[in-house]
Amino acid sequence: GRNTCGTDTETSTLIYNDCIDPVVYFENVCSSTFTAQVDQRSYSVQAQISNATSVEFTVNGVRSTNFTFNNVTGVFRSNILLNEGQNTIRITAISGCGTDTGTSVVTYTNCPDPIVNFMNGNNGFVSVSQANFDLNAYIYNVSNQNNISVRVNGSNRNFSFNASTNLLSASLVLNPGQNKIVITATTSCG
C-alpha cells in the first residue's frame, strides 16, 4: 500500500508440497487407546494405510512377512497367533515422503468358556419312573466345585465334582411331573 507518508510492501512465499506422509489406522482395536482384549489365540490384524508404497510389520518385535497389503485400496490384513498376555503389533508405512508407525497392544487371555454336557438325557429330556435320580454331567474348563451350581426347580442341590475326571454327580429326589435341572458353570472370564 502507498500513501503520502511512504510505502509498505509485504512479501510471502508459498511452498506447494504434494508429497503426503503415510498414515496407519488400526481397524479392530479401541480407537482411543489402540488396545484390544481377546480370548482367542488366533487374531486378525486389520488396518487401513494411506499414502504408502511399502509396509513393515512386526509382532512382539519380530518382523513378519505374513500379511497382505494393497497399496491402491490401503487394506492391510494379517492372521497371527498371539502369545499369552500382551502382544505388541507394529505397522510401519513407508513412502518417499516419510513414514508413519502405528502400534497396538492386543492382550490375549487363555480362558476358554465352561462347557456342561449332561450324561443322562436325550436332547435335554429324560423320562423316569422313580423319584430317585442319579444326575451325571461332564463339566469342562472349570477348576473346582466352587464354580459350579446345581439347581432343581429353582433350589440349590448338593453334588460332587471330580476336577481330574470333570465328572459331576448328584443324587436327586424329583417331584412328580416335570422337573427343571440347571447346571451352571462359571470361570473368571465367563
Side-chain angles (χ1 to χ4, degrees), residues 102-117:
T103 303
S104 73
V105 176
V106 178
T107 303
Y108 164 56
T109 305
N110 184 10
C111 193
D113 292 335
I115 299 170
V116 176
N117 287 330

Side-chain angles (χ1 to χ4, degrees), residues 22-26 34 47-50 91-94 100-103:
V23 176
V24 176
Y25 174 76
F26 283 95
F34 301 105
Q48 190 66 38
I49 301 172
S50 58
I91 300 172
T92 300
I94 303 163
D100 182 39
T101 299
T103 303

Side-chain angles (χ1 to χ4, degrees), residues 41-77:
R41 186 166 187 237
S42 178
Y43 184 74
S44 175
V45 179
Q46 302 173 19
Q48 190 66 38
I49 301 172
S50 58
N51 308 314
T53 53
S54 65
V55 170
E56 292 178 0
F57 177 56
T58 63
V59 179
N60 297 321
V62 178
R63 191 169 179 175
S64 174
T65 57
N66 177 29
F67 65 88
T68 59
F69 172 62
N70 183 321
N71 63 352
V72 174
T73 63
V75 174
F76 176 96
R77 298 287 184 263

Side-chain angles (χ1 to χ4, degrees), residues 7-30:
T7 303
D8 181 22
T9 304
E10 294 287 331
T11 304
S12 178
T13 304
L14 296 174
I15 299 173
Y16 170 67
N17 184 355
D18 65 347
C19 198
I20 302 170
D21 289 340
V23 176
V24 176
Y25 174 76
F26 283 95
E27 293 179 340
N28 56 342
V29 296
C30 178

